[in-house]
Amino acid sequence: DQQPDAPATPITIDVASGTGEQAGIQLLFTGPTTGDVTDIVLSDVLSNIASSRLTDHVREELGATYSPSASVSIATEPDAAVETFVDVSGAPEGIDKLSEVVRQDLADLEANGPTDKDLGEAVAELDHDYGLFDNGTLLDLLLQAADDPTAIDDFLSRPTVLSKLTVATVAEFATRALPADRYIEVRVRPA
């Protein structure tokens, strides 16, 4: 295991890199996971909700075209962890305010969970997405099954797991995926 452990406290790093009128913020939260299919589906749901919320809130709050995205994934090797990566770009002069708005929005999601509307929209989109797969996906599943005998069953059970999620289960997962006291933030400003 060569991967460093997640930080025990928040870490913020400022980096001068690049040129032009574009700056960015990247956040990485790391928390515990079971690594099972329920956490995998919850990670898809939280990715959808966090991205939608950030897009709506950041644009509304700052009145500019910023491009936030959030990705929640489950890692099983070398350590089981849920990792939430957030990437937001914007104007260099507004990067501190942008950071504050993004962290407040994520803290609200971690503390209060999603709304019924948030969950409903995410479930509808993922229910559609889970029905779409191709030969490449099937090939990947067959290869995974050599090491993980549950890979195919887990893949096929995603729609059933998705249909059973509640606001409370997503809220509990959000507390693990967005720990307010365990993240790394990198602010990149033009040099």
Side-chain angles (χ1 to χ4, degrees), residues 29 134 174:
F29 297 83
D134 58 14

Side-chain angles (χ1 to χ4, degrees), residues 68-175:
S69 66
S71 173
V72 184
S73 60
I74 303 298
T76 56
E77 297 288 336
D79 300 311
V82 55
E83 298 177 329
T84 304
F85 181 73
V86 177
D87 184 23
V88 186
S89 61
E93 64 275 3
I95 203 77
D96 295 325
K97 176 67 176 169
L98 179 61
S99 172
E100 181 182 323
V101 168
V102 168
R103 282 185 290 109
Q104 285 175 353
D105 209 29
L106 294 171
D108 177 68
L109 186 55
E110 185 265 343
N112 302 311
T115 64
D116 288 330
K117 181 182 178 204
D118 290 337
L119 180 58
E121 290 173 353
V123 167
E125 185 173 326
L126 289 168
D127 190 48
H128 175 263
D129 291 350
Y130 284 172
L132 304 174
F133 55 91
D134 58 14
N135 288 340
T137 303
L138 294 175
L139 180 58
D140 286 344
L141 280 171
L142 292 172
L143 292 171
Q144 287 175 24
D147 289 332
D148 178 5
T150 66
I152 294 172
D153 289 338
D154 287 350
F155 179 82
L156 294 174
S157 68
R158 293 177 311 155
T160 302
V161 172
L162 181 66
S163 70
K164 294 178 181 177
L165 296 183
T166 65
V167 167
T169 57
V170 177
E172 185 280 327
F173 182 75
T175 64

Side-chain angles (χ1 to χ4, degrees), residues 9-10 29 103 106-107 110-111 174-183:
T9 60
F29 297 83
R103 282 185 290 109
L106 294 171
E110 185 265 343
T175 64
R176 291 189 284 131
L178 296 166
D181 59 344
R182 294 181 61 133
Y183 66 87

